[in-house]
Amino acid sequence: MDDAHLREEGTNSELLFKGNFLHAKRDTVRLPDGKSATREYVIHPGAVVVVPLLDDGRVVLERQYRYPIGRVMTEFPAGKLDAGEDPLVCGQRELLEETGYSAREWAHAGAMHLAVAYSTEIIHIYFARGLSLGDRQLDHGEFLDVTTATPDQLFAWCRDGTVSDAKTLTCTLWLQNVLSGAWALDWQSPALPAGA
């Protein structure tokens, strides 16, 4: 498919903010019709979200206060990629640090772009099974509760608004399709992360 008639070309870039985690930019672009416009967006290092499946059919979730929206959110475990980090290694690390679980098998489900109009963020989706529980290794300043739910409970929470986190909603769609057999996963048994 030829998308040339839709492409925008950057002609200038200005760094608006450089933080420890996020950066903000304002670019000038040439539109397909030759006119100019500006695009403000956030540079994000990328992240991983994990759908941890317990042997009894429940999923592992977290409850964490999210300051920007001022409420506790129910989410699948997730975390940002360190510079140059393999997404699977990040998923293994985050699952262990935040929940205490390590997994025997992993499957890459796909990736999602969270806010395409104003962010470069991409989140890699992994499923994990064959879980074994150890000690959590929370980062300094990280406070969260680990909980579980049946798929039906999670589906109901998505429907009634208890779960409104976009990555968790997307992963729940994946979960429904995997459980129904509509979408297959390619399970692998990678090496366990250090400390597992």
Side-chain angles (χ1 to χ4, degrees):
M1 188 176 300
D2 183 10
D3 294 333
H5 65 290
L6 300 173
R7 294 189 191 279
E8 299 175 355
E9 180 184 337
T11 59
N12 189 41
S13 186
E14 174 187 4
L15 182 64
L16 301 175
F17 170 79
K18 183 173 178 128
N20 294 328
F21 170 41
L22 300 173
H23 311 316
K25 294 179 80 175
R26 179 187 298 126
D27 289 2
T28 304
V29 299
R30 183 178 303 110
L31 300 173
D33 66 1
K35 295 180 181 170
S36 290
T38 58
R39 301 288 183 249
E40 295 176 349
Y41 59 100
V42 174
I43 305 293
H44 187 287
V48 173
V49 60
V50 180
V51 181
L53 306 172
L54 291 166
D55 291 343
D56 65 6
R58 292 175 298 143
V59 294
V60 178
L61 297 158
E62 301 174 352
R63 297 185 70 249
Q64 185 173 12
Y65 183 79
R66 294 300 194 175
Y67 181 83
I69 59 167
R71 64 181 267 212
V72 172
M73 300 294 284
T74 300
E75 310 170 42
F76 280 116
K80 75 173 184 68
L81 288 162
D82 291 337
E85 186 176 29
D86 179 88
L88 173 60
V89 172
C90 177
Q92 291 175 316
R93 174 177 52 79
E94 289 293 337
L95 182 64
L96 180 62
E97 287 178 0
E98 295 182 355
T99 70
Y101 282 103
S102 55
R104 187 178 64 252
E105 294 183 285
W106 290 80
H108 183 255
M112 69 182 114
H113 292 90
L114 226 52
V116 295
Y118 61 86
S119 176
T120 64
E121 183 175 9
I122 184 170
I123 300 181
H124 303 272
I125 305 166
Y126 281 88
F127 278 65
R129 68 182 182 190
L131 302 182
S132 56
L133 185 58
D135 294 326
R136 292 195 305 169
Q137 302 166 13
L138 293 173
D139 289 334
H140 174 73
E142 192 170 35
F143 303 91
L144 57 89
D145 290 338
V146 178
T147 188
T148 62
T150 66
D152 285 341
Q153 287 172 318
L154 178 58
F155 302 156
W157 293 341
C158 292
R159 186 174 51 252
D160 71 17
T162 300
V163 171
S164 61
D165 169 61
K167 69 183 177 305
T168 303
L169 291 169
T170 300
C171 288
T172 302
L173 172 69
W174 266 94
L175 179 64
Q176 283 180 312
N177 282 285
V178 167
L179 293 178
S180 75
W183 295 355
L185 294 173
D186 180 18
W187 291 98
Q188 307 288 321
S189 298
L192 293 174

